[in-house]
Amino acid sequence: MTEHITHKPLGGQATQGMMNYARYLTAVSAARRPSPIRILTELQQRSPPSLISLAGGAPNPNTFPFHSASIKVKNGQTVTFDEAVMKRALQYSGSSGIPELLSWMKNLQKSLHNPPSFSYRAEDGQMDMCVTTGSQEGLCKLFEMLVNPGDNVLLDVPTYPGTLAALQPLGCNLINVPSDQHGMIPAGLKEVLSQWDPSEIHKPGSGAPKILYTIPNGGNPTGASMTEQRKREVYELARQYDMLIIEDDPYYFLQFDKPWAPTFLSMDVDGRIIRTDSFSKILSSGLRIGFVTGPKPLVDRLVLHIQASTMHTSTFTQLMVYQLLDSWGQEGFLRHVDGVIEFYRKQRDAMISSADKWLADVAEWHAPSAGMFLWIKLKGIADTQRLIMEKALEKEVLLVPGGVFMINSSDACPYVRAAFSLSTPQQIDEAFRRLSSLIKEALR
Amino acid sequence: MTEHITHKPLGGQATQGMMNYARYLTAVSAARRPSPIRILTELQQRSPPSLISLAGGAPNPNTFPFHSASIKVKNGQTVTFDEAVMKRALQYSGSSGIPELLSWMKNLQKSLHNPPSFSYRAEDGQMDMCVTTGSQEGLCKLFEMLVNPGDNVLLDVPTYPGTLAALQPLGCNLINVPSDQHGMIPAGLKEVLSQWDPSEIHKPGSGAPKILYTIPNGGNPTGASMTEQRKREVYELARQYDMLIIEDDPYYFLQFDKPWAPTFLSMDVDGRIIRTDSFSKILSSGLRIGFVTGPKPLVDRLVLHIQASTMHTSTFTQLMVYQLLDSWGQEGFLRHVDGVIEFYRKQRDAMISSADKWLAGSTGDDYLTQQ
C-alpha cells in the first residue's frame, strides 16, 4: 500500500465540531424527511423471528424470472449468485448502499486517505459514505442539495461538461478560479475571495460563496493535477471563508506517477470536504456505480434524496462489484488499478509522441499526469469550434472543441481535447497527422 | 392479447397540437441544455468508418475486469453476454435507454394502450419513452420538472409515501381529491377545481393546479382501481383546466380481473398524460428499471436531467432485461405476468379469508375489500 500514497502527519489543531451544516442546505434539501416505513423495518430487524410483519411493501422475489447468475472475471475467477443470493440481488435494498460494500469502501478510504473525520461524532461531520448510480448522480444531488438560485459557486474552468450541465440550470453564478497545468492557483482563489469580508460571510445576503468545486487529479479536459501544497493552501482559504469543497476525483485511480498526492479528504480536519469517487474508469462505466464520502449530516441529506428518486443503486450491481472486491482484497484491487494505469500510461505516451511528431509547430500542450485526455492549444486559431464542426469532418478527424468546457460555451476558445482511451496508437498518430494538415490549411 | 385489454374507439375529436408544454416546466427544467458532446457522437455515427475520433470521453472497456456473463432464467432459458456484449454492457450508453429496449417497450405500449399520440408530430406531444432507474426515479424527476414552490398539486390520498417524499420538499400545496374504493371521485375533483375559473387559469398567478397525480390500479395503500368511466370524466376535467395527469401505474400488471380497464394513456388525445410503468413487481425490484411514457417535449426534458445525474440506467441491466423480453416476445411476457397475478391472487384470497375469519365483526373494525 505504501507505494501508492504518502501519509503526512496532521498539521494544525483538530477542529472537530466547528461546522454548521444546516447553513449549506437548500430549502428543498432541508425539508426532506426519512421514510416512516423505514422505522418499521428497523423495528422488525430488532425483533425476534417470531414477529410476523405484514408491513413490508416489497414484492415476492419468487415471482421474479431470473434464477441465478455466473459472471466470469478476467483473472479466471467467477462471481456467482446462487438462487438465494439472486433473490437478494433482485430485491430492494437500503438507500445508502448494501452494508458489505459500504464497509469495504470505508476501509478503502481509511487506508488510502486516513480521513481525520473518520471517528468524529456524527454531528461533527463523521466521515460517512453512500453508493450512487454513478458518481455523476452523487454530484448532481450534491449540487441540488447545496446550490440556490443566485448563489456564487467557485470552480476552475475549463471543467467537466457534466458538472456544468448539472449546475447551470440551478441558476447560480459560476465564478472561475484561475488555474494552470497544476490545477487551481491558490493566489487566484485568494484574489477571487477578496471581494468578500471573512467576518461578514455568515450574514444573510452576504453572497459569499459556500461551495468550491474542483477535479484535483487528471482534470477533464486539462489533465492537470493539484500538488499537495496547493490543496493545503486552498483548504486554508476554504476554512477562512467557511466553504465546503466538493472534491470530484474520478481519475484518482488513473494517476500515472507515484506516490499519489494526498487528497483533500486526507487533510479534512473540519469536515468540510465532500468527495466523489468513481469506478467508471477502472471497473465499469455502464454499470453505474460511484460513491460519495463526506460529513454524515450532509450524506444523510443526500441519501434522503436517493430514497425519493432512484431508491438505491441496483442491488445486483452492488453485489457483483462487492464479490469482486472481496475476492481481490485491497491489495488485489490496487494491483488491478496498476494494470489499468499501465494501459493508459502507454496510450498517453503514444499520444504525446505523435503530438511531438506532428503538432510541435502548430500547437502547445502539457503532458497529463493522470486521466485520459490531452488538452491542446492550437496556435493562431482563436476559436476551434468552427474548425472542428466544419473542417474536421472533411479531414476525417474529430476532437472536442474547447468551448464546451467553459462556463460560456459560445466564448471563443483556442483549445481542443483529445482522448487517448479508445484509439490505437496507429489511429492516434494518423489523427494527429490529419489535425496538423487541418491546422496548417486553416492558417494559410 | 385481446383477453388482457379492451380497445374502445376514440370518442370526440382528436385534438393534436393544443398543448403548450413550456408552461408546465420549472425554470430549472427549462434551463437544461443537451450535452454539446452528444452532437459530436451523432456526427461520428453519420460519418464513414475512416473517420478517426479522439472526441469520445469513454474509458476503454478492455480494462474492465468482467469478461462475460450467464444468467439463468427460471423457464430454462439463459441470458448470455459473450465478451463483445459484455463490453457493451459495461460501457456508457444513451440517456433515454438502449434502442432495442425502448423499441420493445414502445411496441408493448402500442399493443396494450394504442395511444392516440403514438404518431403525433414531436411538438404536438408524440408518445415518447425513456428508461429510468426504477419508476420512482421517473416520478421524482417528473415532479422536479413540473412543480414549483407554492404550486397546487392534486392527488388522492391516502397515497404512496414515496410520492409524498418526493413532492413535499418541493414546497407545493398538496390538495386532496376525494376518493373511494373505485379511486378518485370525478364529482369530488370537479368540486375541488371549482375554486378556479377555467377561463382564467392561464393568467399568471392564477394558482390553478397544473398537475394531477394518481395511481389508477391497485393503489398503494388502498388497492383501489379506477373504472374506465371515471378516468374519462377525470380526463375531461383535466382538459377543461388544462392539467397534466401523471398516471403512476406500478400495479398495472398485477390486476386480478380481466379485461383490464383502459388506461389514461389509451384515451390521451391531447398529449397530457405522463405515465410511469414499473417492472419492480413482476421482473425485479432490486435491478431498478422503470419507464416513463409521455409527450416528447416533456420526456426530452426529463432525459436532460437523467443526462446530468444518473446518465443512464445500467446498460448491463437493460441488456439483461431486453434479452429476456426478446426471448419471450409480448405473448411470453404476458404469460409470465399471468403467472405472477395467479400468485398474488391466491395470496389476496388467503388474506381476505383470514380477515373474514378474525376481523369481521369482533372489534367493529372495518376494512376495504380489495379489487
Side-chain angles (χ1 to χ4, degrees), chain B residues 123-172:
Chain B
E123 62 269 29
D124 292 341
Q126 180 186 67
M127 185 203 96
D128 198 4
M129 292 189 73
C130 69
V131 181
T132 56
T133 304
S135 65
Q136 179 78 23
E137 188 202 11
L139 267 183
C140 187
K141 286 185 159 57
L142 281 172
F143 297 140
E144 289 169 352
M145 176 172 85
L146 299 169
V147 177
N148 291 297
D151 277 2
N152 292 309
V153 174
L154 305 178
L155 78 176
D156 48 323
V157 292
T159 192
Y160 168 52
T163 291
L164 297 173
L167 268 173
Q168 280 169 331
L170 302 179
C172 55

Side-chain angles (χ1 to χ4, degrees), chain A residues 61-368:
Chain A
N62 292 328
T63 65
F64 298 154
F66 301 106
H67 179 268
S68 53
S70 183
I71 298 153
K72 274 204 181 65
V73 183
K74 284 177 184 168
N75 63 2
Q77 287 180 304
T78 308
V79 165
T80 309
F81 293 172
D82 65 16
E83 211 179 332
V85 175
M86 188 58 141
K87 280 186 192 166
R88 185 180 169 209
L90 298 176
Q91 182 60 283
Y92 288 126
S93 56
S95 291
S96 51
I98 63 175
E100 59 264 59
L101 179 59
L102 281 172
S103 185
W104 201 96
M105 287 303 299
K106 282 178 180 169
N107 287 335
L108 184 72
Q109 302 296 57
K110 180 97 171 88
S111 295
L112 293 176
H113 313 292
N114 194 26
S117 57
F118 195 81
S119 309
Y120 282 6
R121 295 180 314 177
E123 61 269 30
D124 293 340
Q126 179 186 68
M127 185 203 96
D128 198 4
M129 291 188 73
C130 69
V131 182
T132 56
T133 304
S135 65
Q136 179 78 24
E137 189 201 11
L139 267 183
C140 188
K141 285 185 160 57
L142 282 173
F143 297 140
E144 289 168 352
M145 176 173 85
L146 300 169
V147 178
N148 291 296
D151 277 1
N152 292 310
V153 174
L154 306 178
L155 78 176
D156 49 324
V157 289
T159 193
Y160 168 54
T163 291
L164 295 172
L167 268 173
Q168 280 169 327
L170 302 179
C172 54
N173 306 316
L174 295 176
I175 299 179
N176 181 40
V177 179
S179 58
D180 61 22
Q181 69 269 34
H182 299 297
M184 193 177 273
I185 301 170
L189 175 59
K190 188 169 181 169
E191 173 81 34
V192 167
L193 286 168
S194 64
Q195 57 186 298
W196 292 280
D197 178 346
S199 65
E200 307 263 306
I201 52 169
H202 291 131
K203 294 206 171 111
S206 78
K210 291 180 286 183
I211 310 296
L212 182 142
Y213 166 92
T214 193
I215 303 169
N217 291 301
N220 176 2
T222 64
S225 294
M226 288 180 79
T227 59
E228 177 186 355
Q229 179 55 28
R230 283 199 175 183
K231 284 182 198 166
R232 291 200 181 277
E233 288 179 51
V234 167
Y235 190 84
E236 278 312 307
L237 286 162
R239 303 180 86 186
Q240 204 183 346
Y241 289 83
D242 198 19
M243 297 187 296
L244 299 174
I245 298 177
I246 298 177
E247 176 174 40
D248 183 17
D249 217 353
Y251 303 100
Y252 177 73
F253 296 110
L254 252 58
Q255 295 179 72
F256 301 127
D257 306 309
K258 295 201 179 75
W260 295 345
T263 56
F264 278 112
L265 185 67
S266 72
M267 54 186 72
D268 187 22
V269 289
D270 293 348
R272 59 178 71 253
I273 301 299
I274 314 165
R275 178 184 170 79
T276 54
D277 277 285
S278 172
F279 279 167
S280 287
K281 321 304 174 189
I282 55 169
L283 286 193
S284 163
S285 41
L287 280 181
R288 310 312 299 125
I289 184 154
F291 305 90
V292 170
T293 307
K296 183 162 166 52
L298 296 179
V299 174
D300 281 353
R301 288 284 119 197
L302 199 141
V303 170
L304 289 180
H305 193 178
I306 290 173
Q307 206 172 80
S309 64
T310 48
M311 289 178 73
H312 58 82
T313 295
S314 156
T315 318
F316 188 109
T317 297
Q318 292 186 67
L319 280 167
M320 185 175 154
V321 167
Y322 171 69
Q323 279 202 27
L324 177 69
L325 295 176
D326 184 48
S327 74
W328 273 343
Q330 285 186 15
E331 295 284 340
F333 170 73
L334 291 168
R335 260 200 310 276
H336 168 75
V337 161
D338 280 343
V340 179
I341 287 171
E342 271 325 291
F343 170 78
Y344 284 106
R345 188 208 308 280
K346 286 198 178 72
Q347 294 280 113
R348 175 203 62 172
D349 292 348
M351 180 166 275
I352 296 298
S353 173
S354 293
D356 285 336
K357 179 170 155 194
W358 295 109
L359 304 176
D361 300 332
V362 294
E364 295 169 350
W365 60 87
H366 297 284

Side-chain angles (χ1 to χ4, degrees), chain A residues 27-29 31-33 36-37 54 57-75 79 83 86-87 89-93 133-134 136-138 140-141 144 160-162 165-166 168-170 251 279-288 305 307-317 320-321 324 328 336 340 343-344 347 351 372-373 388-389 392-393 396-401 404-405 409 417-419 421-423 426-428 430-432 434, chain B residues 27-37 39-41 43-44 46-75 79 83 86-93 133-141 144 149 160-162 165-171 220 251 278-288 304-317 320-321 324 328 336 339-340 343-344 347 351:
Chain A
V28 171
S29 182
R32 296 193 186 281
R33 299 277 165 268
I37 295 184
L54 304 180
N60 193 313
N62 292 328
T63 65
F64 298 154
F66 301 106
H67 179 268
S68 53
S70 183
I71 298 153
K72 274 204 181 65
V73 183
K74 284 177 184 168
N75 63 2
V79 165
E83 211 179 332
M86 188 58 141
K87 280 186 192 166
L90 298 176
Q91 182 60 283
Y92 288 126
S93 56
T133 304
Q136 179 78 24
E137 189 201 11
C140 188
K141 285 185 160 57
E144 289 168 352
Y160 168 54
Q168 280 169 327
L170 302 179
Y251 303 100
F279 279 167
S280 287
K281 321 304 174 189
I282 55 169
L283 286 193
S284 163
S285 41
L287 280 181
R288 310 312 299 125
H305 193 178
Q307 206 172 80
S309 64
T310 48
M311 289 178 73
H312 58 82
T313 295
S314 156
T315 318
F316 188 109
T317 297
M320 185 175 154
V321 167
L324 177 69
W328 273 343
H336 168 75
V340 179
F343 170 78
Y344 284 106
Q347 294 280 113
M351 180 166 275
M372 48 184 66
F373 304 115
I388 297 295
M389 300 312 275
L393 278 188
E396 297 200 305
V397 63
L398 213 50
L399 300 95
V400 187
V404 314
F405 306 99
S409 59
R417 185 195 77 178
S421 50
L422 293 171
S423 306
Q426 294 77 16
Q427 287 171 324
I428 290 170
E430 174 59 19
F432 278 0
R434 294 178 190 180
Chain B
V28 171
S29 181
R32 297 193 186 281
R33 299 276 166 269
S35 155
I37 296 186
I39 294 158
L40 293 167
T41 311
L43 271 176
Q44 182 178 5
R46 289 204 312 263
S47 300
S50 47
L51 175 109
I52 301 175
S53 173
L54 302 180
N60 193 311
N62 292 330
T63 64
F64 298 152
F66 301 105
H67 177 268
S68 52
S70 182
I71 300 154
K72 275 204 181 67
V73 184
K74 284 176 183 169
N75 64 1
V79 166
E83 211 180 330
M86 188 58 140
K87 280 186 193 165
R88 184 180 168 208
L90 298 177
Q91 183 60 286
Y92 289 127
S93 57
T133 304
S135 65
Q136 179 78 23
E137 188 202 11
L139 267 183
C140 187
K141 286 185 159 57
E144 289 169 352
Y160 168 52
L167 268 173
Q168 280 169 331
L170 302 179
N220 176 2
Y251 303 100
S278 173
F279 279 167
S280 287
K281 322 302 175 191
I282 54 169
L283 286 193
S284 162
S285 42
L287 280 181
R288 311 312 298 127
L304 288 180
H305 193 178
I306 291 173
Q307 206 172 81
S309 63
T310 49
M311 288 177 74
H312 58 81
T313 295
S314 157
T315 318
F316 188 108
T317 298
M320 184 176 156
V321 167
L324 177 69
W328 273 343
H336 167 75
V340 179
F343 169 78
Y344 285 108
Q347 294 280 112
M351 180 167 276

Side-chain angles (χ1 to χ4, degrees), chain B residues 236-277:
Chain B
E236 279 312 305
L237 286 161
R239 302 180 87 187
Q240 204 182 346
Y241 289 83
D242 199 18
M243 298 188 295
L244 298 175
I245 299 176
I246 298 178
E247 177 175 41
D248 182 18
D249 217 352
Y251 303 100
Y252 177 73
F253 296 110
L254 253 56
Q255 294 180 73
F256 299 128
D257 305 312
K258 295 200 179 74
W260 294 345
T263 56
F264 278 113
L265 185 67
S266 73
M267 54 186 73
D268 186 22
V269 288
D270 292 348
R272 60 177 71 253
I273 301 300
I274 314 164
R275 177 184 170 79
T276 55
D277 279 283

